[in-house]
Amino acid sequence: MVKLRRCSMVVSSFLGIFAIWKIQRSTTNLEKSKKSFYKVLAPENRYDNDHLAENIQYDTDGHAKIFDLGGSDWTVQSNNGSISIPAQVPGGIYSDLERAQVLNSSVYFRFNDVKFRWVGQESWVYKKEFTMPKSMKGSENVLLNLEGLDTVAEITLNEQFIGRTENMFVRYRFDVKEHIKFARKNTLEIAFESPVLYAKRKFEEHSNQFYIVPPIRVPEVYHGENHANFIRKTQASFGWDIGPSFPSTGIYKPISIQGYQSANIQYVTFNSMPEEDCWRVSTRVLVEAENGFEGQLDIEIVEKLTGHIIFNVNESVMFSLFPENEILDSFQINGSVPKKDVKTWWPNELGDQNLYILTATLRKDKSNVSSKSIQVGFRTIELVQKPLHDIYQTIAQKAGDTFFFKVNGVPIFAKGSNLVPIHILPEKVTKGDVDYLLKFAKTSHMNMIRVWGGGSYQSEYFHRKADELGILVWQDFMFACSMYPVNEDFLKNVQKEIFHQVRRLQHHPMIRNIVIQEAPDTPWMTSSPIGKHEIGHVNPSTNPMDLHYGDNHFYIRTKNQWQPGIYPIPRFMSEYGFQSFPSISTLEKFAYDDDLYFPSRFINHRQHGPKANDELVFTAAFHFHLDRIIHQRDPEGLAKLLYLAQVNQAESLRTETELLRRMVSVISEEGHGMTMGALYWQLNSIWPGGCLSTFEHGGKWKLANYAVEQMFRPVVVVLDVTSEERVKVHVVNDGGTLVSNFTLHIELQKYSDLHACFQQTIAIPPVAHLQSIEVLNVGLETILDQCSFPGKSETTTQTAKYPESAPLESLTVTTQSTSEPDYRRIFSLLTSKIFNSQSEIISQRTKLLSEPKEALGLINPRLSLHVERISNVIFEILISTESVALFVALDTPISGRFSDNGFHLLNASKSVIFHVDNGSDMSVEQFTKQLNVISYYNDF
């Protein structure tokens, strides 16, 4: 069964209204232009308290006037007054209720997504009393600044209505000067309407007045709420196949009162384009000036690393009066920077991430009025969609178009993943969470992350870190897997969101897919997958899964996922992935002991994908004997099943990814191939449950992420044994430069022996950037003939039946095909390695020549561990074996990572390093007690 899912469809009738203006580039050294824009503002991030993210406002005396309203002196009460507790701001209602022990356990514990369902169905009122400093009274403008409210709320100050919010992704600012009491007590109330009831009400109103917008209800297995498409908040908060339903409510980002005299910079946008001997730069400053402003604007660009100034301009400016508080005025400066002064920004592993700090400052009478700094980079990004026939004249004209990205004129193969919300409660996300995910995305050789449309726009801190690490961001607008209303009120609400999220993120060198007139150099699409589509046009494709165009999504769950022949070959795969669960050491933190067996009510509840647990077991049964494990019905049996599920996920992901990479420079007669991107689903897990992530909730690497680190290396070896009994080896290079003087080493080994029975070394010809070359194509029989095996009469043919407890029990997975594979395959495995000129292993791939459950001679390897402490953050683990050990997996509840995991141990021993996340005085004995190892063998 093939499933198409998670497509981020954006209603075409609404996108059309945004592609209105374009910023015209100047051909002179310095030019100025002015435009006006709507003044609903995008949110800043609550972590942005460092220099780059500050919006530092000064009055004409140079004094900042920002009064922070955050803290622990808030209260929150239910609409009927039955609950009244202290509240923390920024924060959220679930966190507040947890802290007050109204919710007596973690939201992730057992069945709490159902038990705590009442919270999202309740309306809540947040309240704070404060005294406003008298010094703020001298400010011409005094505004309540709401960086992020989740979601629908009415605000009153001293019992006077101030305003209403209806979008989690918009920053709101309300004039409060006439309502605030200086040097006296003030009372601020923010009354939130239940997001569940609001969405239901909007759905009913729209259905009665216009028509029904699907989906009418979510699948029952989600245990979720309906009509998330009618409220502008994180869509996944109402429940999804990837996680639970916790419809959050609260003041989840900073809140303050801001005073300023004459003008306030809200946004700074930046564009750059190389010419023959310079970079043309265009900087636009969007300013709030309630009573008009006349003064000077300084634009300065300095190299972040050295502080060297490469651009400095001072111009006289005048911003107009907008008494209705509806407009942001803007001023644009165009100029140039000599190429010799510019260092370009490159994606991870293709060059350095050179960055600059652009500072815009408004001055009046030589005093600072307002200043804002942003991080920028000089680069070009182009999405190339050209007819294949123009490149390959032998290909039919109907063979389709290319779909790939060029950075600074260099084509790249996009390697990465899809990011879902880091936590179901937005206030729980920390700066450390962002650091961790992006750091190890880089370590895993990724150069692109797709921010999925069912989540949230990420923080300024997230994007700045992505800049620094060389991670391109494929940015969805926040729409996913639904139709959306297109009535006037909804579209106006979304319009504010889109305009200002673009302005907020536009300047980042990594940004790719948020675009309209605010980001004229950035391509954009109406949906993902896209199919045949002209970039910048709003009409969606009639066939978004056409392999000849655009990007594709593909999921398959009823076939042997270790066989590359089952997968399509698109131009770009932006979603594909495989199910697994977190390890039992993660799950047991959120369950009782008697929950930990398969298929317990708890395990079934932790899986929100329809029939996904059945499919997980079914696909694993192609490769492993599961009957004994499933019927064991205890934590030990569950631990084994979760281990095998992670092995299956890792090998399946490796198989499909290797195919996609191998097709980077290959094109078939049908026009399939020229694949230039692999973004698997999904990087992180929103909760400790079943999903397709390669990180467990909390950050532990699943076995699949160790496979990701290997399969995304710049140079990889791809080993395949075809259905025609041919051994094919390809070498793929997407590292940006030509590689040469590499050698290929091939080894055949029997399960019964820790030494290879055949090996051969082959010279690899030079491999260019974005080239896949075949370096070996030989009959399997030729290789097997090099070793001695038992006679065929000494072996038996086995048939593995799907476990009787599953609904698909009639399906049988046969271990032999009609072409009668060489019987010697069940005794052996094949390994290919690439060595560089320094005899270092660059890439390695082992193929089992039969399914693991069919392997003969695969006995209990009797693994043993010897641990030494190298430092307070590093332990070295020596793993010894008596025989070949397959899929050796190490596990510990200690936070950290192994240097390798899920590997085959083909020699007598192997050393693995464990890096502890935080320094520890833990002894070797303490560490060893928390260390477990497992592998797969015949009597597993």
Side-chain angles (χ1 to χ4, degrees):
M1 177 169 54
V2 178
K3 296 186 178 180
L4 169 65
R5 45 181 290 219
R6 273 185 282 278
C7 45
S8 297
M9 290 297 295
V10 180
V11 182
S12 60
S13 61
F14 114 121
L15 265 188
I17 66 178
F18 300 130
I20 303 170
W21 300 287
K22 294 285 184 181
I23 299 174
Q24 301 299 322
R25 297 192 173 277
S26 168
T27 57
T28 62
N29 186 58
L30 181 64
E31 292 186 2
K32 307 175 290 293
S33 63
K34 297 186 66 179
K35 293 184 181 175
S36 299
F37 300 89
Y38 290 104
K39 183 196 164 184
V40 179
L41 309 174
E44 298 294 334
N45 182 261
R46 68 184 178 97
Y47 315 117
D48 296 333
N49 295 319
D50 58 6
H51 168 69
L52 292 180
E54 283 179 349
N55 188 5
I56 307 170
Q57 285 84 33
Y58 300 85
D59 60 18
T60 52
D61 294 322
H63 299 299
K65 294 273 184 88
I66 297 177
F67 184 75
D68 186 6
L69 292 173
S72 58
D73 54 350
W74 287 74
T75 60
V76 60
Q77 71 174 30
S78 57
N79 197 45
N80 62 11
S82 61
I83 297 173
S84 182
I85 58 174
Q88 178 72 43
V89 172
I93 188 59
Y94 287 96
S95 297
D96 292 329
L97 292 170
E98 272 189 26
R99 197 177 299 109
Q101 298 187 339
V102 176
L103 306 182
N104 57 10
S105 56
S106 164
V107 294
Y108 288 146
F109 187 71
R110 298 193 82 220
F111 311 103
N112 280 353
D113 57 324
V114 174
K115 182 179 178 181
F116 298 160
R117 194 169 183 174
W118 62 271
V119 177
Q121 298 172 352
E122 180 64 77
S123 296
W124 301 92
V125 180
Y126 278 78
K127 180 178 179 180
K128 178 186 176 84
E129 292 183 346
F130 64 94
T131 300
M132 174 56 57
K134 189 175 182 179
S135 61
M136 188 73 79
K137 189 173 184 179
S139 300
E140 288 184 23
N141 306 281
V142 180
L143 291 93
L144 176 63
N145 186 56
L146 302 159
E147 303 264 0
L149 295 188
D150 184 9
T151 294
V152 180
E154 290 191 351
I155 301 102
T156 59
L157 178 61
N158 299 323
E159 299 184 346
Q160 299 296 312
F161 176 76
I162 299 300
R164 178 177 173 84
T165 70
E166 290 190 304
N167 195 318
M168 177 182 179
F169 309 124
V170 168
R171 181 176 68 184
Y172 292 87
R173 289 163 66 82
F174 300 109
D175 187 348
V176 295
K177 188 170 184 179
E178 298 302 317
H179 306 289
I180 205 159
K181 301 173 184 177
F182 296 97
R184 288 187 292 162
K185 186 180 77 172
N186 294 269
T187 302
L188 177 65
E189 288 191 357
I190 302 179
F192 289 92
E193 182 177 353
S194 159
V196 175
L197 300 184
Y198 171 87
K200 182 175 183 290
R201 175 166 59 82
K202 287 295 182 181
F203 168 77
E204 292 172 349
E205 289 174 358
H206 192 280
S207 300
N208 292 333
Q209 186 174 358
F210 302 109
Y211 50 87
I212 293 176
V213 179
I216 296 175
R217 62 183 60 87
V218 299
E220 185 177 350
V221 71
Y222 288 9
H223 307 289
E225 305 291 356
N226 298 317
H227 315 307
N229 51 335
F230 276 85
I231 183 170
R232 294 308 300 145
K233 70 185 270 86
T234 300
Q235 301 288 274
S237 69
F238 273 43
W240 216 270
D241 62 349
I242 61 168
S245 171
F246 287 102
S248 49
T249 290
I251 309 167
Y252 78 106
K253 289 189 176 183
I255 176 173
S256 63
I257 292 177
Q258 179 181 337
Y260 68 92
Q261 289 301 100
S262 50
N264 188 309
I265 297 176
Q266 292 298 322
Y267 294 98
V268 178
T269 68
F270 172 78
N271 289 286
S272 62
M273 183 64 67
E275 295 184 354
E276 185 175 349
D277 58 356
C278 69
W279 281 82
R280 305 294 302 177
V281 297
S282 174
T283 300
R284 188 168 48 130
V285 179
L286 287 84
V287 174
E288 189 176 51
E290 302 300 333
N291 299 307
F293 174 80
E294 188 171 354
Q296 293 79 42
L297 173 62
D298 292 350
I299 302 294
E300 182 180 78
I301 303 175
V302 304
E303 188 176 355
K304 183 178 179 181
L305 191 61
T306 66
H308 174 64
I309 299 173
I310 66 168
F311 186 81
N312 194 329
V313 171
N314 178 286
E315 284 295 309
S316 296
V317 294
M318 183 173 67
F319 293 97
S320 303
L321 171 67
F322 295 104
E324 296 181 0
N325 199 20
E326 291 293 332
I327 299 293
L328 282 180
D329 199 9
S330 74
F331 191 91
Q332 180 171 307
I333 291 180
N334 299 326
S336 63
V337 182
K339 271 192 175 178
K340 64 181 178 60
D341 293 336
V342 172
K343 299 174 183 176
T344 50
W345 179 95
W346 290 91
N348 183 29
E349 298 185 329
L350 292 174
D352 295 330
Q353 288 76 56
N354 297 296
L355 294 166
Y356 295 81
I357 305 303
L358 185 155
T359 301
T361 303
L362 286 177
R363 304 184 193 277
K364 187 176 182 67
D365 300 327
K366 298 183 179 180
S367 296
N368 287 349
V369 173
S370 182
S371 179
K372 185 173 179 68
S373 294
I374 61 174
Q375 180 173 272
V376 301
F378 290 83
R379 89 292 178 259
T380 60
I381 298 179
E382 179 186 0
L383 176 55
V384 181
Q385 294 188 112
K386 294 182 178 179
L388 265 180
H389 180 72
D390 293 352
I391 303 173
Y392 302 95
Q393 277 71 36
T394 58
I395 299 297
Q397 291 190 5
K398 296 182 179 179
D401 296 346
T402 63
F403 187 96
F404 65 90
F405 297 97
K406 278 185 178 181
V407 178
N408 300 325
V410 177
I412 69 165
F413 188 98
K415 298 180 291 189
S417 188
N418 287 258
L419 183 81
V420 303
I422 298 172
H423 197 288
I424 192 62
L425 305 179
E427 71 273 10
K428 293 277 192 180
V429 180
T430 69
K431 202 172 180 179
D433 295 333
V434 173
D435 288 341
Y436 187 94
L437 284 172
L438 292 181
K439 173 185 176 181
F440 290 111
K442 177 183 177 72
T443 299
S444 301
H445 312 286
M446 298 185 194
N447 57 28
M448 183 178 286
I449 285 179
R450 175 181 174 224
V451 177
W452 171 58
S456 298
Y457 301 100
Q458 291 298 312
S459 67
E460 176 66 20
Y461 182 81
F462 174 95
H463 287 283
R464 195 162 64 248
K465 291 298 293 186
D467 293 349
E468 295 165 0
L469 297 173
I471 308 295
L472 289 156
V473 173
W474 172 308
Q475 177 67 62
D476 281 2
F477 292 119
M478 292 302 118
F479 303 88
C481 300
S482 294
M483 300 302 291
Y484 287 85
V486 292
N487 59 297
E488 184 178 1
D489 289 345
F490 188 86
L491 294 183
K492 283 182 177 179
N493 192 8
V494 170
Q495 183 184 38
K496 299 169 185 177
E497 168 191 330
I498 301 301
F499 264 112
H500 299 286
Q501 287 294 341
V502 172
R503 291 172 181 170
R504 184 175 72 91
L505 299 174
Q506 174 273 342
H507 59 273
H508 288 282
M510 47 71 232
I511 207 72
R512 194 201 67 75
N513 201 33
I514 277 192
V515 65
I516 40 178
Q517 82 285 354
E518 305 292 322
D521 301 325
T522 307
W524 64 280
M525 308 185 303
T526 55
S527 71
S528 177
I530 188 62
K532 187 175 183 179
H533 171 78
E534 294 184 29
I535 291 301
H537 288 218
V538 299
N539 294 324
S541 170
T542 57
N543 182 14
M545 293 297 289
D546 190 335
L547 297 176
H548 299 88
Y549 302 91
D551 68 315
N552 282 76
H553 299 178
F554 183 78
Y555 298 87
I556 188 165
R557 296 179 181 132
T558 56
K559 292 186 177 181
N560 184 339
Q561 297 164 338
W562 297 10
Q563 296 296 326
I566 69 171
Y567 299 111
I569 305 171
R571 298 287 184 260
F572 193 112
M573 191 73 84
S574 55
E575 276 194 31
Y576 64 105
F578 305 90
Q579 274 280 347
S580 72
F581 263 80
S583 57
I584 197 165
S585 62
T586 295
L587 273 183
E588 64 187 6
K589 300 172 186 175
F590 304 95
Y592 294 141
D593 288 346
D594 56 7
D595 291 326
L596 299 177
Y597 69 90
F598 186 88
S600 70
R601 175 173 168 241
F602 171 76
I603 293 298
N604 285 336
H605 189 82
R606 286 283 141 160
Q607 177 58 266
H608 282 191
K611 299 183 179 179
N613 275 353
D614 293 337
E615 294 166 348
L616 181 151
V617 172
F618 178 73
T619 54
F622 278 96
H623 317 291
F624 308 110
H625 292 300
L626 299 180
D627 300 62
R628 183 189 306 173
I629 294 171
I630 289 177
H631 292 113
Q632 194 168 337
R633 301 176 73 86
D634 63 14
E636 181 185 3
L638 178 63
K640 289 181 178 181
L641 179 63
L642 301 186
Y643 154 69
L644 293 178
Q646 287 204 17
V647 169
N648 186 51
Q649 179 194 30
E651 289 301 299
S652 302
L653 189 62
R654 195 194 306 263
T655 299
E656 186 170 4
T657 303
E658 287 176 343
L659 172 67
L660 296 172
R661 292 196 65 185
R662 178 165 62 83
M663 297 302 293
V664 64
S665 60
V666 179
I667 191 74
S668 70
E669 292 183 1
E670 297 81 13
H672 297 164
M674 285 287 290
T675 305
M676 289 289 281
L679 307 181
Y680 70 86
W681 184 275
Q682 65 203 70
L683 180 65
N684 59 307
S685 179
I686 197 171
W687 76 326
C691 67
L692 291 75
S693 71
T694 59
F695 281 62
E696 297 184 8
H697 178 75
K700 179 189 287 188
W701 287 25
K702 291 182 179 178
L703 297 182
N705 212 74
Y706 292 94
V708 168
E709 189 279 329
Q710 296 164 10
M711 72 193 191
F712 275 167
R713 290 178 182 178
V715 179
V716 293
V717 60
V718 180
L719 170 63
D720 188 27
V721 180
T722 70
S723 57
E724 293 80 22
E725 301 276 292
R726 304 289 298 178
V727 175
K728 295 185 178 182
V729 178
H730 289 79
V731 176
V732 183
N733 173 26
D734 58 27
T737 60
L738 180 79
V739 296
S740 58
N741 299 318
F742 282 19
T743 55
L744 173 69
H745 192 75
I746 293 287
E747 294 180 354
L748 180 67
Q749 187 169 347
K750 291 185 282 187
Y751 295 118
S752 58
D753 196 341
L754 285 172
H755 299 89
C757 60
F758 166 75
Q759 50 189 324
Q760 184 175 351
T761 300
I762 302 169
I764 299 173
V767 187
H769 174 55
L770 296 181
Q771 186 178 18
S772 168
I773 66 170
E774 184 179 88
V775 294
L776 182 67
N777 185 340
V778 64
L780 176 61
E781 180 181 12
T782 302
I783 295 178
L784 292 173
D785 285 346
Q786 309 306 309
C787 300
S788 60
F789 294 91
K792 187 172 183 179
S793 60
E794 301 174 45
T795 67
T796 59
T797 300
Q798 308 170 25
T799 298
K801 197 168 185 179
Y802 191 73
E804 293 181 1
S805 59
L808 304 178
E809 56 199 29
S810 61
L811 279 172
T812 298
V813 184
T814 59
T815 62
Q816 296 207 21
S817 68
T818 55
S819 59
E820 194 69 28
D822 194 310
Y823 81 96
R824 294 173 293 181
R825 295 176 65 155
I826 62 177
F827 295 97
S828 51
L829 52 84
L830 196 61
T831 298
S832 59
K833 304 175 184 177
I834 298 177
F835 290 87
N836 64 13
S837 57
Q838 288 78 45
S839 299
E840 300 167 323
I841 297 177
I842 300 301
S843 177
Q844 176 175 329
R845 183 69 161 108
T846 296
K847 278 278 188 178
L848 311 183
L849 298 182
S850 67
E851 297 296 351
K853 64 186 180 184
E854 301 168 354
L856 294 186
L858 192 63
I859 62 174
N860 185 340
R862 303 191 184 282
L863 299 173
S864 62
L865 305 176
H866 176 76
V867 178
E868 291 188 8
R869 178 174 170 168
I870 308 302
S871 72
N872 67 334
V873 295
I874 296 178
F875 288 89
E876 183 176 15
I877 307 159
L878 183 67
I879 308 163
S880 300
T881 184
E882 297 179 4
S883 62
V884 168
L886 298 186
F887 309 111
V888 177
L890 296 156
D891 184 50
T892 178
I894 301 166
S895 180
R897 286 150 312 288
F898 298 98
S899 57
D900 195 7
N901 214 355
F903 51 84
H904 302 312
L905 187 51
L906 307 180
N907 302 310
S909 64
K910 177 183 173 75
S911 178
V912 173
I913 299 296
F914 183 79
H915 295 262
V916 182
D917 279 337
N918 300 301
S920 171
D921 295 329
M922 187 184 308
S923 67
V924 168
E925 291 74 21
Q926 290 170 323
F927 177 79
T928 303
K929 284 181 180 179
Q930 300 182 75
L931 181 64
N932 297 297
V933 65
I934 191 171
S935 70
Y936 184 79
Y937 51 92
N938 290 148
D939 295 325
F940 183 75

